[in-house]
């Protein structure tokens, strides 16, 4: 029995598939592929499948992945070929191989965030963020709510592209199986303090990184 990690992109309208939707989509795709997939034992057998780091609704990503098991040893090309035509538009498989890292190694996610609107307002929002030592927001989970200072959480934030009515910046956010920070917290802060429409934001996850800020492939 071999564990396989499928790497894929989730872009365009596919970004509005919920995590539960995505699980069902991938399960159907594996069944359609006719791959020799391993099923759990017991009264209700199901496909073993775990996702590396669930993505927030409406956010895009070019570094998604999930693991499943095969009863036979197959090449990457054989797996990729079997998966062709099994997925909806916007979900694009980019690789299929044995996992190259453990999910516990994930400590950060790099995002590229594009804001659209009045250029002066966008520049002021980013300048104020850079100059302030405290950017306090409320982080809410199913169990609790707490105040966090984004300046202590987000690192390596920098502008990477500009146009007449948009600014794109990159930033590293805490991520992993123990602690995550949703990029939406900063976007809500910009909305509440500068009136920037959150619908104008485009959020793209581009890399997962370890504690040494090395990109995990």
């Amino acid at each position: 029995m071999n564990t396989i990690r499928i790497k894929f992109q989730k872009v365009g309208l596919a970004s509005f598939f919920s995590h539960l939707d995505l699980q069902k989509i991938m399960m159907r795709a594996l069944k359609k592929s006719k791959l020799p997939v391993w099923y759990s034992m017991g009264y209700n057998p199901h496909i073993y499948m775990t996702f590396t780091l669930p993505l927030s609704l409406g956010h895009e990503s070019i570094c998604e992945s999930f693991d499943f098991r095969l009863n036979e040893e197959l090449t990457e090309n054989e797996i990729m070929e079997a998966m062709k035509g099994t997925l909806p538009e916007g979900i694009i498989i980019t690789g299929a191989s044995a996992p190259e890292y453990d999910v516990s190694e994930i400590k950060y996610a790099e995002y590229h965030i594009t804001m659209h609107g009045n250029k002066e307002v966008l520049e002021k929002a980013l300048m104020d963020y850079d100059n302030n030592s405290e950017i306090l927001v409320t982080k809410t989970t199913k169990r609790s709510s707490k105040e966090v200072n984004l300046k202590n959480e987000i690192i390596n934030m920098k502008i990477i592209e500009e146009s007449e009515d948009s600014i794109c910046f990159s930033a590293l956010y805490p991520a992993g199986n123990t602690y995550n920070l949703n990029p939406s917290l900063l976007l809500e802060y910009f909305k509440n303090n500068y009136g920037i429409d959150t619908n104008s934001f485009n959020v793209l996850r581009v890399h997962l990184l370890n504690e040494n800020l090395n990109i995990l492939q």
Side-chain angles (χ1 to χ4, degrees):
M1 182 168 58
N2 303 299
T3 298
I4 299 296
R5 178 163 294 167
I6 293 284
K7 300 175 183 178
F8 65 98
Q9 299 178 357
K10 186 170 181 263
V11 296
L13 293 178
S15 65
F16 295 101
F17 291 138
S18 69
H19 183 58
L20 181 59
D21 291 334
L22 188 61
Q23 288 176 312
K24 293 177 180 177
I25 288 167
M26 290 304 188
M27 194 167 294
R28 285 197 297 268
L30 288 175
K31 290 177 179 178
K32 287 181 182 178
S33 73
K34 305 299 183 182
L35 287 166
V37 178
W38 179 84
Y39 282 76
S40 65
M41 306 300 177
Y43 180 74
N44 184 29
H46 60 276
I47 298 175
Y48 161 87
M49 190 167 54
T50 57
F51 285 77
T52 305
L53 190 66
L55 188 67
S56 296
L57 189 68
H59 294 180
E60 297 180 292
S61 175
I62 58 173
C63 61
E64 296 302 283
S65 64
F66 74 94
D67 295 351
F68 70 103
R69 295 173 181 170
L70 286 177
N71 287 316
E72 301 175 16
E73 189 168 334
L74 298 176
T75 67
E76 179 174 14
N77 286 341
E78 289 173 325
I79 297 170
M80 297 275 283
E81 187 64 28
M83 293 291 287
K84 274 186 179 179
T86 63
L87 293 166
E89 184 177 351
I91 298 181
I92 306 157
I93 293 179
T94 58
S97 61
E100 298 174 11
Y101 63 88
D102 189 271
V103 294
S104 63
E105 296 179 52
I106 302 171
K107 297 302 178 186
Y108 291 94
E110 180 182 349
Y111 291 89
H112 289 181
I113 300 174
T114 304
M115 303 189 298
H116 299 272
N118 183 288
K119 187 68 174 294
E120 290 184 3
V121 174
L122 301 180
E123 289 176 336
K124 177 171 174 51
L126 290 173
M127 186 178 298
D128 289 352
Y129 177 88
D130 191 48
N131 291 334
N132 282 321
S133 59
E134 279 192 341
I135 302 292
L136 300 177
V137 299
T138 301
K139 184 181 188 300
T140 303
T141 65
K142 292 180 180 178
R143 296 182 179 180
S144 64
S145 296
K146 68 174 183 178
E147 193 173 63
V148 297
N149 181 5
L150 294 181
K151 294 302 293 279
N152 294 336
E153 306 279 353
I154 303 171
I155 63 173
N156 292 11
M157 187 167 163
K158 59 185 178 182
I159 294 174
I160 55 176
E161 190 175 348
E162 297 184 62
S163 71
E164 291 183 357
D165 62 352
S166 69
I167 295 178
C168 179
F169 64 91
S170 65
L172 302 186
Y173 284 75
N177 55 12
T178 56
Y179 182 71
N180 287 279
L181 194 68
N182 194 316
S184 296
L185 287 174
L186 177 59
L187 308 189
E188 284 293 330
Y189 174 84
F190 285 152
K191 175 186 176 182
N192 295 335
N193 290 273
Y194 300 92
I196 302 172
D197 182 6
T198 51
N199 292 323
S200 74
F201 290 101
N202 177 262
V203 181
L204 175 67
R205 187 155 72 191
V206 295
H207 295 301
L208 301 177
L209 303 92
N210 63 20
E211 63 183 352
N212 296 320
L213 304 186
N214 295 318
I215 295 172
L216 297 169
Q217 302 294 339

